[in-house]
Amino acid sequence: MDLQQQARQWLETAVAEARAGLAEGGIPIGAALYGADGTLLGRGRNRRVQDGDPSMHAETAAFRAAGRQRSYRGTTMVTTLSPCWYCSGLVRQFGISRVVIGEAETFHGGHDWLAGHGVEVVLLDDTACVAMMRDFIEEHPALWSEDIGDE
Ligand SMILES: [Zn+2]
């Protein structure tokens, strides 16, 4: 399996998390952390609404679910949406090697910055991910503004 195929398969985990979040009345962003050998280390979703916690982003949730890892070398953070500055910072802080992104059309986060700092970025331009966020933003513009810190 080549990287694109692998990335698409991993994205399905993140999409399942995003859909579960949507079903809970939350913001549909999902993520998963995969180990260097392709093992799923952790998965999670944005839980701003569910937990009343604006710091619980999808990537943070997946990262925390993975528990303590001796090293993040070779790991891949998979996320349905381009990572915000906070989550991009998490990727750099812990030396996560690669980021797989479902889409960066509805929100352009820090992935260019990550790429400029040696993180391998795989942008899949997934149409289903774009549609999911478009629908959500249209139906919940205030909640979306709150999440991205945009007044
Ligand atoms: Zn984030």
Side-chain angles (χ1 to χ4, degrees), residues 34-112:
Y34 280 91
D37 62 355
T39 306
L40 176 63
L41 300 175
R43 56 192 289 175
R45 51 189 175 265
N46 184 298
R47 305 189 58 86
R48 166 184 290 267
V49 174
Q50 295 93 320
D51 295 358
D53 182 355
S55 72
M56 193 52 101
H57 286 197
E59 299 89 331
T60 328
F63 182 81
R64 290 174 69 174
R68 290 166 63 186
Q69 302 290 323
R70 276 178 57 210
S71 168
Y72 292 90
R73 191 186 303 265
T75 60
T76 300
M77 179 64 83
V78 185
T79 177
T80 54
L81 183 65
S82 174
C84 72
W85 288 114
Y86 165 60
C87 295
S88 296
L90 178 98
V91 167
R92 271 209 77 191
Q93 172 69 32
F94 293 94
I96 292 168
S97 298
R98 188 194 287 141
V99 177
V100 168
I101 301 163
E103 62 108 351
E105 225 174 283
T106 63
F107 178 75
H108 193 116
H111 66 273
D112 295 326

